[in-house]
Amino acid sequence: MHPRPIPNPATTPAYTTTAATKARFWNRVARKYAADPIADMPGYEATLRRVQALLSPEHSVLEIGCGTGTTALRLAASTRRMLATDVSAEMIAIAREKLGSQTQPLPQLRFGVADAETTAPAGACHDAVLAFNVLHLVSDLDIALQAILATLKPGALFISKTPCLAEMNPLIARLVVPLMRALGKAPHVLVFDAAQLRSALERHGFAIEAVERHGTKRKDIRVFIVARRPR
Ligand SMILES: C[S@@+](CC[C@H](N)C(=O)[O-])C[C@H]1O[C@@H](n2cnc3c(N)ncnc32)[C@H](O)[C@@H]1O
């Protein structure tokens, strides 16, 4: 069956989301997010090993939606340079605190505030873009994928691990999440499954190289995708 396209809120003419609006929820929860333990540590470590094997010390890497920088701090040493960005200034403030308190200096790593749905002015300068737990949170997936593509050199890698909320119990995705959102306890989310995400990537010209799940718990809705911008 051909996957259904992901609903696009931007087709509503009145729809505009500024970076400040997108950041509001995440600024508010940043300290709590930083304190929460990683839910599936073996699955997280498996993802890190997989990504490390794909990166090279020659690579210029961009991470979007980096949160408090946990992953960037683990991966930066495997790169030539790494820019890790997030729309939330609070998340980036915590990431910079963490970078400042590292015992081993990480001169390759910089953190910055940026919206993943705005095309970076530097153009196609990265050998890899990483997006962990963020593609389901952007306002418009097509705009985000377009912006990612524009920052990748021809032949460069896009690596994403994203919760596919359409693979959850429909009651949670369609009822509980909107209710929590109305109460200010959840962010805006896009609901898609792995086939829809894959098809959105292909529509933007990405060549899919791997689709995996690294979770060690019973049901893993976080799909790990390795895609490449064709040369
Ligand atoms: C669930 S957290 C994931 C953080 C980190 N990547 C991780 O795996 O722990 C989602 C992050 O995406 C960021 N985010 C949401 N929408 C964004 C956007 N449009 N551009 C950049 N970052 C965004 C949020 O501020 C938040 O820090």
Side-chain angles (χ1 to χ4, degrees):
M1 197 179 75
H2 195 70
R4 279 173 293 109
I6 299 162
N8 178 356
T11 51
T12 309
Y15 186 88
T16 53
T17 308
T18 63
T21 308
K22 292 174 198 173
R24 199 175 298 144
F25 173 84
W26 295 103
N27 281 337
R28 188 154 44 78
V29 301
R31 295 276 157 194
K32 181 181 177 312
Y33 190 85
D36 281 348
I38 289 169
D40 177 5
M41 190 52 94
Y44 178 64
E45 293 291 346
T47 300
L48 286 182
R49 284 193 298 277
R50 182 73 169 95
V51 177
Q52 262 157 349
L54 291 163
L55 297 180
S56 114
E58 305 302 311
H59 278 171
S60 164
V61 177
L62 170 68
E63 184 185 358
I64 57 168
C66 70
T68 64
T70 307
T71 301
L73 288 162
R74 292 285 303 273
L75 293 177
S78 309
T79 72
R80 176 163 57 90
R81 63 167 175 241
M82 184 162 185
L83 171 62
T85 63
D86 198 285
V87 76
S88 157
E90 280 300 318
M91 289 284 192
I92 292 300
I94 297 168
R96 286 182 175 143
E97 285 167 21
K98 284 160 70 171
L99 179 59
S101 62
Q102 290 285 296
T103 45
Q104 293 289 322
L106 266 179
Q108 304 95 320
L109 180 58
R110 275 185 308 125
F111 288 107
V113 178
D115 181 356
E117 291 166 271
T118 303
T119 303
C125 61
H126 294 295
D127 300 288
V129 171
L130 313 179
F132 300 122
N133 304 305
V134 67
L135 284 186
H136 66 304
L137 296 169
V138 298
S139 306
D140 185 316
L141 185 64
D142 285 318
I143 290 174
L145 294 180
Q146 225 170 298
I148 290 163
L149 198 65
T151 69
L152 287 171
K153 293 177 185 169
L157 285 173
F158 176 51
I159 307 171
S160 162
K161 185 171 172 179
T162 311
C164 292
L165 302 183
E167 298 177 13
M168 293 173 98
N169 179 331
L171 277 182
I172 298 178
R174 303 280 177 202
L175 211 70
V176 179
V177 174
L179 187 66
M180 285 176 68
R181 198 175 168 220
L183 297 172
K185 297 203 177 298
H188 146 88
V189 289
L190 295 176
V191 178
F192 50 73
D193 61 24
Q196 288 174 308
L197 180 57
R198 183 186 176 132
S199 121
L201 284 159
E202 286 172 336
R203 211 170 48 245
H204 283 269
F206 285 98
I208 307 292
E209 296 201 342
V211 178
E212 302 167 6
R213 311 259 173 167
H214 299 161
T216 61
K217 307 246 160 129
R218 209 154 37 98
K219 182 169 181 188
D220 181 16
I221 62 159
R222 286 170 208 231
V223 67
F224 176 87
I225 296 185
V226 181
R228 199 177 286 278
R229 176 184 168 171
R231 288 186 188 279

